[in-house]
Amino acid sequence: AATTLFAINQFAGRPVPPKSLEEWSAELGSDITFFLSSGTCYCTGRGEVLHPQPNMEPCSNVWLIKPEQGLSTPTVFKNLDYDMLSDEDPLELLDSFKKGLSKARFLNDLEPPAFKAIPQLKTIKEEILATGFETALMSGSGTTFFAIGSPSRTEWPLEFVQKWDCNIWRTEFINRPKDGNLWYKQQEPFDPPQ
């Protein structure tokens, strides 16, 4: 949805200011607004209230691992035990990221209910970490994981594709330039040799 809004505005010569696009996108869905941001934001509300942050440090060792099996957000919230939510202060977590990724504290309260809904996801995460990544965490309500770092075994993507029926992308943190002309860089999924 964000790409569509962005593209229509671009093709029309940018008549709508970015702030208006953000406001419109909040009506369409919770996370859409983020994809109209400059790339690094602290998000509150349902994910639609943006608090822009300084750009993240460059990092090219970011991997996305997406199992074929999906999981609906309502299913995750149905399995969420509100008594088990973290009591971590979100602003303290944010401050940990400002010290660099190696010092950042990662947290996703939606992992346990996602793992309850699909127990295999917990095993996938454990295996991602066992390959040598410094960090692995489910993104939102799943089922995509992100992993940061350099795995110890170069053959791990092929093993994961074969074992877990997943797509894997190596990616990097990017920030949209101030002029807003670059929306994203297309990445192809990992295609294992036959």
Side-chain angles (χ1 to χ4, degrees):
T3 302
T4 301
L5 280 175
F6 183 83
I8 290 170
N9 197 46
Q10 288 291 104
F11 290 133
R14 296 191 220 163
V16 180
K19 192 69 180 161
S20 294
L21 287 178
E22 288 178 15
E23 291 168 6
W24 294 351
S25 70
E27 299 296 319
L28 298 174
S30 296
D31 299 334
I32 298 169
T33 307
F34 171 79
F35 293 98
L36 295 170
S37 75
S38 61
T40 304
C41 289
Y42 172 62
C43 303
T44 58
R46 301 178 337 263
E48 83 285 5
V49 180
L50 304 180
H51 307 275
Q53 300 295 310
N55 290 342
M56 295 287 292
E57 63 187 57
C59 180
S60 59
N61 289 325
V62 180
W63 295 80
L64 300 176
I65 301 100
K66 170 65 175 94
E68 283 297 321
Q69 185 173 8
L71 186 58
S72 72
T73 301
T75 298
V76 172
F77 277 91
K78 181 180 167 191
N79 285 289
L80 180 62
D81 181 350
Y82 287 87
D83 293 331
M84 299 302 292
L85 293 176
S86 169
D87 59 359
E88 289 265 7
D89 179 347
L91 294 177
E92 287 181 16
L93 289 172
L94 177 62
D95 283 342
S96 76
F97 279 84
K98 293 176 180 177
K99 298 173 185 169
L101 282 178
S102 63
K103 299 195 184 326
R105 294 192 333 260
F106 293 84
L107 173 72
N108 182 354
D109 280 324
L110 299 180
E111 268 192 355
F115 295 167
K116 183 177 178 185
I118 304 176
Q120 173 180 320
L121 292 173
K122 183 176 183 183
T123 305
I124 292 173
K125 178 181 178 175
E126 290 167 351
E127 289 199 21
I128 292 170
L129 288 169
T131 65
F133 283 105
E134 298 158 19
T135 299
L137 198 69
M138 184 174 285
S139 176
S141 58
T143 58
T144 301
F145 291 91
F146 68 88
I148 300 174
S150 300
S152 57
R153 298 186 339 263
T154 58
E155 65 279 359
W156 79 270
L158 178 59
E159 293 171 358
F160 268 67
V161 167
Q162 292 172 342
K163 182 173 183 178
W164 298 112
D165 189 28
C166 59
N167 289 308
I168 298 176
W169 297 269
R170 183 175 186 167
T171 187
E172 61 190 76
F173 290 140
I174 62 170
N175 293 287
R176 237 175 61 202
K178 297 279 186 214
D179 67 9
N181 286 328
L182 176 66
W183 181 239
Y184 68 93
K185 293 179 182 179
Q186 175 120 9
Q187 300 289 322
E188 296 298 325
F190 175 76
D191 189 17
Q194 301 299 324

